[in-house]
Amino acid sequence: MLDSSVTAIAAKVRAGEVSAESVTAAAIAQIAAIDGRLNAFLHVPEQSALAQARAVDAKRARGEAMGPLAGVPVAIKDAICVRGVVTTAASKILAGYEPAYDATVIERLRAADAVILGKTNMDEFAMGSSSENSAFGPTRNPWDVTRTPGGSSSGSAAAVAARMAPCSLGSDTGGSIRQPACLTGTVGLKPTYGRVSRYGLIAFASSLDQIGPFAGDVRGAARVLSVLSGHDPRDATSLDVPPEDFEVACGRSVRGLRIGVPGEYFAEGLDPEVAESVRAAIRELEAEGCVVKPVTMPHTLFAVATYYVLATAEASSNLARFDGVRFGLRTTDPAAARDLRVMYGKTRDAGFGAEVKRRILLGTFVLSAGYYDAYYIKAQKVRSLIRRDFDRAFESVDVICSPASPTAAFRLGEKIDDPLAMYLNDIYTLPASLAGVPAMSVPCAPTRAGLPVGLHIAARAMDEATMLAVAAAWEARSPARSLVPPLAAAAGKA
Amino acid sequence: MPAPKLDRALVLHVAKLSSLSLSDAEADRFADELARIVRYVEQLDGVDTTDVAATAHVLLDRMPLREDALRPCLSHEAALSQAPQVEADGFAVPTFVE
């Protein structure tokens, strides 16, 4: 059953061919069978998930109208608040935290008759590209458990890749949906900034954060996106645009669509096997009738530096709220009982991991007196130039195609001691984040070693439809279509 | 761009601004790592940004306003339910006024 897509599961539940309860039970069984080897989930409230599924079945039995995600289990990144379910952002500072409210995306999933399956592992506060910054141990890649599934939405990607859930939610600040989707052979989509409400998402960098779906196929991601998107007055940056059915776009012809291929994305540091896999995908789209044109995006090179100034500055401000007063950890150090500032300092030192502290320090530094103009304002200006690169490219093309990550999944431990090398891994996903445009990763031909590779497709702001049309057209021809990691397939047969 | 000397003293100053109490060993390690990252970031210095406006946010001109009206919010009990320490029906904190 879990080999079925989001749309197939919803159709079968709606038709009464399978019960929502049996689908959720199968997901729970798959988690029990293999997640000990993957560490994709931090928390699976089984009884609550089964109760939600039974409520969907009861609704059907009463003859009521069923939602578009009827009975579909959805895994949720642990940065997204679910009422009464432990939500930690994979940080010790939030251990045991139970939100008193649902994020807007959770309300929307519930209204669509989805089942909230559990909370997934991630890099602490979404800061990382490998899952190794989780306070609860790294997630492992279902294609090779010695390798990273990427990050920061590591568990949400691994859960879908290993058929523990047909879809999941992640959040993407600089590539945290697209890079793990690429490294696990799943479809992962970051919407236009403002398309999906951030209310209830534990903030990392507010001008960049977006919630988006992972799914086993493009149509599934499109359906989840249709459910998630829409105006939310509780998020001041939520766009007031009419709802859209993104699934319609998945069947649209791509004949005549113009694909831009930026030379800057096929440069030094790109693994030749990855380059060839992505170029082959672009050639196939050309054979489908797309027009492929070179474009130039000269400021791509500066995206990493720009991002790590702006994102850390915003993070240093957002993470000030974790101070041991209203929620989460408070130090038990006796010195802290007598002095508020000591309590703040020791609580935060004990609660945050090394990468989070590194980014708070960097962000505070670039915002501090004497350095603000030179680093922070300068980076904001370069951000404008990166946006301009996209604006100019989109004058002559409809989508921009590139690799999603310069290499296939690297080994756990390989980059952990070199923060800068880890940051450079995000080079292909950061520019679209800085520009606020939608972008996604769709699997293309794996490497000779069998590791997934992703085609990155970016489109104009609010034009997810064109991006999905191209993604679906490629998926129909992709040799990666319906590949399943042996570990997940073996468990499914057992 | 100024070339700051990212040493233990500067890291400890920034840590104080960040409300992080670091050990000296931590401060030394972060000084090395941050110095490397800041050197990398200084490549932005070479980008010509004359007459380029800063982007603080991609949507500042499109954000809709809502009615300034009272709406339901968390109950008192729910707001206090996750606090590490509660006293007299409020968040308990150590002394901060002598």
Side-chain angles (χ1 to χ4, degrees):
Chain A
M1 187 64 224
L2 291 168
D3 280 335
S4 303
S5 64
V6 166
T7 47
I9 291 172
K12 286 177 188 168
V13 170
R14 289 163 72 120
E17 289 170 31
V18 294
S19 68
E21 186 177 10
S22 68
V23 176
T24 293
I28 290 170
Q30 179 81 340
I31 294 167
I34 61 174
D35 201 39
R37 280 176 279 168
L38 297 175
N39 200 25
F41 283 86
L42 294 178
H43 188 58
V44 181
E46 293 182 11
Q47 292 314 313
S48 146
L50 289 167
Q52 293 170 61
R54 282 193 293 269
V56 172
D57 290 330
K59 195 170 170 183
R60 187 183 175 279
R62 290 193 301 269
E64 291 176 31
M66 305 293 282
L69 295 177
V72 176
V74 188
I76 309 293
K77 186 178 185 178
D78 204 33
I80 299 170
C81 288
V82 178
R83 182 180 185 149
V85 175
V86 174
T87 297
T88 67
S91 180
K92 276 192 291 183
I93 211 162
L94 275 176
Y97 171 64
E98 287 183 15
Y101 62 97
D102 275 335
T104 297
V105 289
I106 300 298
E107 286 181 352
R108 286 178 174 270
L109 288 176
R110 293 193 201 279
D113 290 327
V115 172
I116 308 302
L117 180 63
K119 305 302 295 290
T120 58
N121 203 357
M122 56 184 282
D123 286 290
E124 184 179 4
F125 286 110
M127 298 179 185
S129 311
S130 71
S131 88
E132 290 161 294
N133 297 329
S134 168
F136 306 112
T139 308
R140 295 175 177 277
N141 192 319
W143 292 95
D144 176 348
V145 295
T146 68
R147 294 177 188 271
T148 175
S152 66
S153 309
S154 57
S156 288
V160 172
R163 303 296 192 268
M164 294 186 280
C167 62
S168 62
L169 298 191
S171 65
D172 189 313
T173 306
S176 282
I177 292 173
R178 294 161 284 153
Q179 183 253 18
C182 168
L183 269 43
T184 58
T186 52
V187 175
L189 187 157
K190 180 197 90 75
T192 304
Y193 183 85
R195 173 76 86 175
V196 173
S197 170
R198 294 182 295 112
Y199 179 78
L201 170 67
I202 296 171
F204 161 16
S206 307
S207 84
L208 298 159
D209 296 342
Q210 267 295 284
I211 294 170
F214 289 88
D217 66 355
V218 172
R219 194 171 280 273
R223 174 150 329 168
V224 178
L225 178 64
S226 301
V227 167
L228 300 181
S229 55
H231 180 56
D232 178 11
R234 291 176 297 188
D235 171 3
T237 59
S238 161
L239 286 167
D240 198 358
V241 291
E244 233 178 293
D245 178 358
F246 294 106
E247 250 179 289
V248 174
C250 298
R252 198 179 287 170
S253 164
V254 294
R255 190 157 295 279
L257 281 182
R258 298 161 303 170
I259 297 177
V261 180
E264 292 85 355
Y265 283 65
F266 290 83
E268 196 191 330
L270 174 60
D271 181 275
E273 262 196 281
V274 171
E276 183 39 40
S277 172
V278 170
R279 286 194 189 282
I282 295 170
R283 282 196 299 273
E284 285 289 328
L285 285 165
E286 196 167 21
E288 280 286 295
C290 293
V291 180
V292 176
K293 301 169 72 161
V295 290
T296 175
M297 307 188 76
H299 298 93
T300 303
L301 193 60
F302 302 108
V304 175
T306 303
Y307 175 83
Y308 280 93
V309 171
L310 299 179
T312 58
E314 294 186 29
S316 71
S317 168
N318 272 325
L319 271 61
R321 73 190 57 164
F322 301 103
D323 59 4
V325 175
R326 286 155 300 160
F327 33 65
L329 180 82
R330 178 182 292 191
T331 178
T332 52
D333 191 310
R338 297 184 298 274
D339 186 311
L340 183 65
R341 291 211 62 95
V342 172
M343 190 280 280
Y344 287 160
K346 287 192 180 291
T347 293
R348 289 161 62 80
D349 188 47
F352 291 138
E355 179 63 20
V356 174
K357 289 181 199 171
R358 196 179 288 125
R359 294 199 195 190
I360 290 173
L361 291 169
L362 180 61
T364 304
F365 168 71
V366 300
L367 290 174
S368 64
Y371 303 112
Y372 178 82
D373 287 325
Y375 293 98
Y376 185 63
I377 297 298
K378 181 74 183 184
Q380 286 193 335
K381 289 181 176 175
V382 180
R383 183 177 185 182
S384 301
L385 294 173
I386 291 168
R387 288 175 74 189
R388 197 181 289 172
D389 280 356
F390 278 90
D391 290 345
R392 289 196 176 147
F394 285 132
E395 284 170 10
S396 62
V397 298
D398 301 299
V399 295
I400 295 168
C401 285
S402 68
S405 172
T407 65
F410 50 92
R411 286 192 194 282
L412 289 163
E414 195 177 315
K415 299 186 184 183
I416 192 72
D417 294 325
D418 188 350
L420 194 53
M422 193 71 92
Y423 297 172
L424 289 169
N425 196 59
D426 300 335
I427 179 76
Y428 298 134
T429 51
L430 293 174
S433 294
L434 291 164
V437 300
M440 66 190 292
S441 178
V442 191
C444 40
T447 64
R448 282 186 294 277
L451 295 172
V453 174
L455 171 69
H456 189 263
I457 309 169
R460 294 181 188 91
M462 306 313 290
D463 197 11
E464 281 88 348
T466 301
M467 176 176 84
L468 285 161
V470 173
W474 160 241
E475 181 183 58
R477 288 172 158 250
S478 172
R481 207 176 166 204
S482 33
L483 293 180
V484 182
L487 171 152
K493 288 193 190 80
Chain B
M1 198 175 280
K5 195 162 172 285
L6 253 160
D7 53 11
R8 182 199 289 181
L10 183 51
V11 168
L12 287 173
H13 167 69
V14 172
K16 195 176 167 198
L17 296 176
S18 315
S19 291
L20 275 173
S21 39
L22 301 182
S23 65
D24 283 352
E26 266 186 308
D28 287 341
R29 203 186 73 225
F30 284 130
D32 285 348
E33 290 168 352
L34 292 173
R36 278 193 63 213
I37 296 168
V38 168
R39 266 200 304 281
Y40 177 80
V41 161
E42 280 170 358
Q43 63 175 274
L44 297 183
D45 225 7
V47 185
D48 182 2
T49 52
T50 316
D51 300 327
V52 175
T55 294
H57 204 284
V58 292
L59 288 181
L60 279 182
D61 48 342
R62 290 188 65 180
M63 284 187 201
L65 296 174
R66 64 166 169 80
E67 286 294 305
D68 185 15
L70 278 177
R71 293 175 303 166
C73 62
L74 284 187
S75 69
H76 194 78
E77 294 72 29
L80 286 175
S81 69
Q82 300 298 310
Q85 215 178 320
V86 173
E87 256 176 50
D89 216 17
F91 298 112
V93 294
T95 312
F96 58 93
V97 180
E98 288 300 322

